Amino acid sequence: MKYFVMILFSSIFIGCSSSTKKKELIKKQRPNVLFISVDDLNDWEGALMGNNQVKTPNMDKLFSEGVLFTNAHASQPVCTASRNSLLSGIDPTVSGWYSSTSNMRKNYDTVMANHKMLPEYFKDSGYNTYAAGKVFHSGESDFPKKTDDYWTAYSPHFWNNMEPNIKANGYGYKGTMFYPFPEGGGQLVQLYGQDTINNYYKENNRFYSLCGGPLEDEDIPKDGMYDEQIAKWAINKIDSIQDKPFFLSVGFIRPHVPYTAPKKYFDLYPIEDIVVPEVPENEFEDIPMMGKSIAYGYTPNGGWADVTAKKEILPELVQSYLACISFVDDQIGKVVEALEKSPYADNTIIVLWSDHGQHLGEKKHFRKQALWEETTRVPLFFKVPNNVSNGQRSGQVVSLLDIYPTITELCDLPRLPKLGGESLIPLIESPASKTDRAVLSTWYYKNHAVRSNDWRYIQYRDGGEELYNHKIDPGEHTNLANNPKYTDVIAAHKKWLPTYDAIPAGSTEWKGDNLDRRIEEWKTNDSIPVWLK
């Protein structure tokens, strides 16, 4: 019996000693990083107050435990370009990476010479690097030949081999990671008819992804929504024993279109209670032609004309977007909870960001790909262990380009010379600080928005301008650019415009694009839509 007791206590002692040594080892090594991205998420979180109906308890709780940047903006309001600028730390006006992934590959070696993508830098610095879901636009990488340089391991593409009934509802939509679609394809499929979609738009214009609706159990992949599977894969990594510090990047897909989620999330937002964005009838009286062309979007008659063709569509889209946000909020909560219960909790930096915002009718525009507030403003959050300023907010305007230099400095990695952003550590330590800095957002070639703490200035490539005072006009309804009273304000913001704009990757000269061609057609045929006048 004495021998048994000695063995028992010895085992307990060894177990406790081993656990203690493990915790001590974790504390001594560089901090881990949990790097959470959320696709197409604007400021509709409770903490950012972009919509007072939204329910995001998990993000709100998380945001109260670190430093939330309430005035953060994307460098490009489209997935591919924004993510590649953030992960490279290089501004699109320097790289020429404005849109096409295939074109980005053509000058990758030139842009990235003597430089590294963020996960590659961490991996080469001794980290285990993991990717789950949509980190780059295509998943774990937009550059297949470089994928293994970036990651120690990455999740499968859960959206491969989807069930036939789920695939059928998408009418050939090629972004398979974004399924499931609503039953019957959604609002615009039903508006235009299935034959019209199949015969005219299926291959060359997938506008009908602007839709939403609740999913019953039979409409959901048998292993769960892809974001649920992404969360599960990430949690398994957190629960694993790590022999090195880790950089775990978790890319959630919702609330990207189609706005679908399990029905229980729609039940949080009864359709009769939905409040849609207020849009003045004369919203476009003072908007330049390039702004009108951007707002038109990609649907057959322009986003506003199509969505307002039936009074039910806009409330349904708002309800669906809200439901998707609450759904992804739950997935974020699962991953964060797993980290909090792990031995890595006290030595892990949490970063949460979205690649760009989203319009739900503001400025008569839908989705992203514009230069107004709703499409550039995003949540950006850092939780740094033992930071005395955790729980505070910073209203200083910042850029997603600041993430790379900030996270590497927090992990004691040398700053790379090609990085375009600024380290946010001074603001993380002192969130109340303010500077006169402004940040740049670009929509395709030579269309720029400069956002300062109180103003937004837009300059289009055809010379058109917009200026908004966010102190008194947060909805950006009154363009002050033509008022001589604000000449000095415009001049101050012009100083933040790039002195050189790189030609789009894959091109040797600028020949215009669909925005220019649409304006020319309107002028030639005197056919600008009434709702844009």
Side-chain angles (χ1 to χ4, degrees), residues 158-159 162 176-177 179-180 221 224-230 253:
F158 300 111
W159 42 91
M162 69 176 63
T176 52
M177 72 170 69
Y179 283 59
M225 294 287 285
Y226 301 133
D227 280 333
E228 293 176 298
Q229 298 180 55
I230 289 164
I253 296 167

Side-chain angles (χ1 to χ4, degrees), residues 105 108-109 141-150:
R105 295 183 187 128
Y108 181 94
D109 290 341
S141 175
D142 288 332
F143 309 95
K145 293 180 180 178
K146 297 291 294 182
T147 304
D148 290 338
D149 294 335
Y150 301 158

Side-chain angles (χ1 to χ4, degrees), residues 103-167:
N103 284 337
M104 291 177 185
R105 295 183 187 128
K106 294 178 182 178
N107 71 340
Y108 181 94
D109 290 341
T110 300
V111 171
M112 297 299 293
N114 302 313
H115 191 61
K116 296 177 181 180
M117 285 287 184
L118 182 60
E120 181 181 17
Y121 192 25
F122 271 87
K123 186 180 180 186
D124 289 350
S125 299
Y127 276 71
N128 283 331
T129 55
Y130 304 113
K134 187 179 179 183
V135 179
F136 287 81
H137 178 64
S138 301
E140 70 283 342
S141 175
D142 288 332
F143 309 95
K145 293 180 180 178
K146 297 291 294 182
T147 304
D148 290 338
D149 294 335
Y150 301 158
W151 307 109
T152 305
Y154 47 89
S155 70
H157 287 177
F158 300 111
W159 42 91
N160 289 346
N161 304 312
M162 69 176 63
E163 292 85 341
N165 66 303
I166 291 174
K167 188 173 183 179

Side-chain angles (χ1 to χ4, degrees), residues 327-372:
F327 162 70
V328 81
D329 181 73
D330 266 3
Q331 311 321 308
I332 293 168
K334 293 175 188 176
V335 175
V336 173
E337 182 181 17
L339 176 66
E340 290 173 345
K341 291 180 177 179
S342 78
Y344 309 109
D346 295 335
N347 194 40
T348 299
I349 298 165
I350 302 177
V351 186
L352 187 147
W353 54 276
S354 172
D355 50 1
H356 49 72
Q358 189 89 167
H359 284 250
L360 271 297
E362 301 94 342
K363 299 300 267 193
K364 299 187 177 181
H365 183 60
F366 292 89
R367 301 184 67 183
K368 50 235 181 183
Q369 299 161 327
L371 289 172
W372 297 299

